[in-house]
Amino acid sequence: MADIIEVKHPLVQHKLTMIRNKAVGTKDFRALVDELAMLLTYEASRDLPLETVEVETPVAVTKQQSLAGKKLAVVPILRAGLGMVDGILQLIPAAKVGHIGMYRDEETLQPVEYFVKLPDDIDQREVLLVDPMLATGGSAIDGISALKKRGATQIKLITLVSAPEGLKAVQEAHPDVPIVTASIDEKLNNDGYIVPGLGDAGDRLFGTH
Ligand code: URA
């Protein structure tokens, strides 16, 4: 079973507490999600392979460590996942970006896939699938399935806030996928919101209701 990593770093916890506050407006919410995405990517990229390279400093020739050229892709689940892309690209600017669009069927509560556009070589890339809220896990499970169907074999899920129910569901459906999250919250309520959560992440990012 792949790991669930709850990132307890003080900066992560502080920024997450700030965006939980309902008084925080769109501009600040967006900036903080960007910063959180960056900090979570730092954690999610901990095991990227390194290689030894030679470099000439102004003082000496030395052998040092450099990323081993592993290709990455960032794939947001639309729409709220979009809010995390820029922060990740600030750390990994060469990553390609794919998109997965789904909506939740209001009657069945099941996610429906309506748009999938991925880099052609997705099968050779480590994929960071991003969605700020892991609630029931339905969208994440379908997002991972959509990636696997198209050949992706190395996938990590990055979320800001996760419900225990969603984590369990994703782990059961895709035990090979590690999850990096800033918080494991208490539960889901009857409306499908994470408690205490931060409300609707998409609405708060984009200023809609
Ligand atoms: N999606 C959100 O944006 N917020 C929740 O609490 C649950 C799902």
Side-chain angles (χ1 to χ4, degrees):
M1 189 80 81
D3 287 341
I4 294 175
I5 300 161
E6 189 181 15
V7 181
K8 292 288 196 181
H9 191 288
L11 289 175
V12 170
Q13 294 307 310
H14 179 78
K15 288 173 194 294
L16 181 61
T17 298
M18 287 176 79
I19 58 170
R20 286 187 193 276
N21 185 342
K22 67 180 187 184
V24 166
T26 302
K27 178 169 167 282
D28 291 337
F29 189 90
R30 222 178 260 156
L32 287 159
V33 168
D34 238 9
E35 292 167 10
L36 279 161
M38 208 185 310
L39 291 164
L40 294 179
T41 300
Y42 179 77
E43 190 59 47
S45 57
R46 213 172 253 291
D47 56 359
L48 283 179
L50 291 169
E51 63 186 359
T52 304
V53 297
E54 198 173 86
V55 60
E56 189 174 352
T57 77
V59 180
V61 175
T62 175
K63 287 195 166 51
Q64 298 293 336
Q65 299 295 295
S66 177
L67 282 176
K70 185 161 190 173
K71 294 172 161 185
L72 286 145
V74 184
V75 179
I77 296 180
L78 303 180
R79 121 187 110 125
L82 287 174
M84 297 174 72
V85 173
D86 286 351
I88 297 176
L89 291 180
Q90 286 193 48
L91 282 194
I92 311 175
K96 296 245 166 112
V97 182
H99 294 88
I100 294 181
M102 295 167 169
Y103 61 89
R104 207 179 296 172
D105 185 296
E106 285 183 2
E107 278 177 13
T108 64
L109 294 182
Q110 291 303 305
V112 180
E113 200 180 282
Y114 66 85
F115 180 78
V116 178
K117 183 82 180 168
L118 301 172
D120 287 342
D121 57 354
I122 196 74
D123 55 327
Q124 286 157 48
R125 291 182 179 267
E126 173 163 338
V127 182
L128 302 178
L129 181 67
V130 294
D131 195 357
M133 309 302 281
L134 179 61
T136 61
S139 308
I141 289 168
D142 270 30
I144 295 166
S145 298
L147 289 168
K148 287 184 173 173
K149 204 160 66 185
R150 290 160 180 87
T153 54
Q154 279 185 286
I155 303 165
K156 274 190 186 143
L157 176 64
I158 305 181
T159 75
L160 294 184
V161 180
S162 302
E165 297 90 330
L167 288 168
K168 185 164 174 281
V170 173
Q171 271 206 322
E172 277 171 15
H174 298 289
D176 57 313
V177 174
I179 303 170
V180 177
T181 186
S183 177
I184 302 173
D185 272 18
E186 217 176 293
K187 59 175 184 187
L188 283 179
N189 69 15
N190 291 337
D191 298 321
Y193 280 93
I194 299 174
V195 182
L198 48 74
D200 187 305
D203 281 347
R204 296 198 62 194
L205 275 165
F206 299 113
T208 51
H209 286 291

